Amino acid sequence: MRAYGEFLRLPYAARLLGGTLLGRLPNGMGMLAVVLHIRAEGGGYPLAGALGAVLGLATAAGQPVLGRAMDRLGQPRVLLVSAIMAAAGFTLLAVVGADPLPVAIGAVILAGFATPPLEAGLRALWTAVLPGPAQVQAAYALDAAAQEILFTVGPLLVVAAAALSTETALVLTGAIGIVGTLVITTSRPSREWRGEPRAADWAGPLRSPGLRVLLLSLAFAGVALGVYAVAVVAYAERLDNDLASGLLLAAMSAGALAGGLVYGARSWPGEAHRRLPWLLVALAACYLPLMWAPGLTVMMVLAFVSGIFLAPVLACSFSLVDRLAPTGTVTEAFAWVVAAIGAGSSLGSAVSGVGQDLAGVPGAFAGAGAGGVVALLVCLLGARTLSPARPLPSAAPVVVEA
């Protein structure tokens, strides 16, 4: 873990990572806060679930749009305005509740679509702030591992705030996003970062064949995540154990955290585009045993193992995005990664529900293994396009004050 200590001592590294994680906490809070508030206002589970899905889809749609704006306008203006608008959406929902419904839907769409693209912005900053590729790889791995904390801490904050009122939970969700965004946008690297000149075309980063292949592969990895989130609920209901779903989610997150920390602690041989298929093989292989759905003790072990290769897959993919994105589109490209995984996760939730109806709990988990396998197949079929067209930028470190 020495590499992480050295990384966090670099100027602005801890601030940028910590501020981004704080600003992204709403990603792990928003859906639960929306569902709890709609239920508290008398809305049924179908309505609450539908609004939660709208929030997720709106977030996925907004990230590339805001990422493109950041490539053109810089980070502070886009991030601050979007964070304030997202908070306004959560606050409006807190005020109106589920009635009138069109206003509630509009509030949720605003909160999701305006979610500040902090994740994409951070990854665009690393190559400018850090002194070399080794530090960038450590940053990507630590980022991918640490984001698992968001989906553990975020729901706990919502539950604690909802003990006062669900309105408090919604307002807190928006406020945390603004505070985290301010930590980033007031930093010198964020203020000084500018996107490179880009070709004037509508496709942006999507004109890169390799990036399209990578995004499709990650979307199917997202399907596996969405399947898992629903399947653990079905598993808990089968056991008649309300705690089981939370324990299994935490176990997978712990596996992802451990895998990410180990992956980023050392340099790995070979190019990222050759390493990614092997990581996807391992990811798919670890998802498949979940269909067994054994007793809780063994299932906890399988859940932990299923998460181990998730963060390494993401970290390796981030390295490829840096190389595959056309000049001037790097922030939008990273935003497309967030959108692809989010859209795949939404699809996975539906897939898991169908599997549960057809074959019970094993059928619910089957989609996770299927998502991992298809992600691998897409990567293998498009492997030639993943070879970087240009080397990773070796930008000199930014001279900053202590």
Side-chain angles (χ1 to χ4, degrees):
M1 300 301 166
R2 180 180 176 184
Y4 293 121
E6 295 174 351
F7 160 71
L8 291 173
R9 285 193 294 270
L10 292 170
Y12 284 101
R15 176 176 177 174
L16 293 175
L17 180 61
T20 301
L21 290 174
L22 177 63
R24 287 162 55 198
L25 266 176
N27 296 353
M29 299 171 65
M31 188 171 295
L32 180 58
V34 168
V35 170
L36 290 179
H37 185 60
I38 297 302
R39 289 290 297 143
E41 291 290 304
Y45 278 112
L47 176 60
L51 287 178
V54 168
L55 179 72
L57 292 173
T59 302
Q63 293 295 289
V65 175
L66 296 173
R68 177 172 293 197
M70 243 181 356
D71 278 325
R72 293 177 173 175
L73 303 175
Q75 293 198 357
R77 280 185 290 175
V78 175
L79 289 175
L80 276 175
V81 170
S82 60
I84 292 169
M85 291 178 65
F90 283 119
T91 302
L92 178 59
L93 183 65
V95 171
V96 303
D99 188 24
L101 184 57
V103 177
I105 294 173
V108 170
I109 291 174
L110 176 61
F113 191 88
T115 298
L118 291 164
E119 192 172 349
L122 175 68
R123 291 163 194 161
L125 285 176
W126 283 140
T127 53
V129 172
L130 301 178
Q135 289 78 19
V136 172
Q137 176 178 296
Y140 285 157
L142 188 58
D143 176 19
Q147 69 180 336
E148 297 302 320
I149 298 172
L150 305 179
F151 298 99
T152 302
V153 175
L156 292 177
L157 289 174
V158 170
V159 171
L164 298 175
S165 71
T166 54
E167 290 87 354
T168 301
L170 285 167
V171 172
L172 178 65
T173 299
I176 288 176
I178 293 176
V179 172
T181 299
L182 282 170
V183 172
I184 298 301
T185 55
T186 56
S187 70
R188 183 173 174 180
S190 179
R191 295 197 313 269
E192 295 184 349
W193 182 87
R194 294 293 181 272
E196 300 176 77
R198 58 183 284 168
D201 69 284
W202 67 270
L206 297 183
R207 69 176 183 269
S208 165
L211 192 59
R212 294 198 299 269
V213 168
L214 181 63
L215 291 173
L216 184 58
S217 180
L218 290 176
F220 281 106
V223 167
L225 295 177
V227 164
Y228 185 86
V230 174
V232 294
V233 176
Y235 177 85
E237 289 179 353
R238 190 181 74 175
L239 291 185
D240 195 22
N241 183 340
D242 293 339
L243 294 177
S245 59
L247 290 172
L248 291 176
L249 287 170
M252 189 188 74
S253 295
L257 179 61
L261 291 176
V262 171
Y263 179 80
R266 54 160 292 182
S267 297
W268 298 89
E271 293 288 334
H273 68 284
R274 300 187 187 281
R275 192 159 59 246
L276 181 61
W278 291 106
L279 292 172
L280 286 171
V281 167
L283 184 70
C286 291
Y287 278 137
L288 289 171
L290 294 172
M291 289 186 291
W292 178 26
L296 183 58
T297 301
V298 176
M299 194 63 174
M300 288 278 290
V301 175
L302 295 180
F304 179 88
V305 171
S306 74
I308 288 176
F309 290 95
L310 176 60
V313 163
L314 294 177
C316 186
S317 299
F318 299 156
S319 297
L320 277 174
V321 170
D322 257 335
R323 301 187 179 196
L324 293 171
T327 300
T329 68
V330 65
T331 308
E332 185 184 348
F334 278 121
W336 272 111
V337 170
V338 178
I341 295 173
S345 181
S346 296
L347 175 60
S349 298
V351 168
S352 188
V354 173
Q356 162 70 17
D357 287 341
L358 293 176
V361 173
F365 279 110
V373 170
V374 177
L376 170 62
L377 291 175
V378 169
C379 182
L380 292 175
L381 290 172
R384 293 183 62 182
T385 68
L386 294 176
S387 179
R390 57 187 176 90
L392 183 69
S394 54
V398 174
V399 179
V400 294
E401 299 173 0

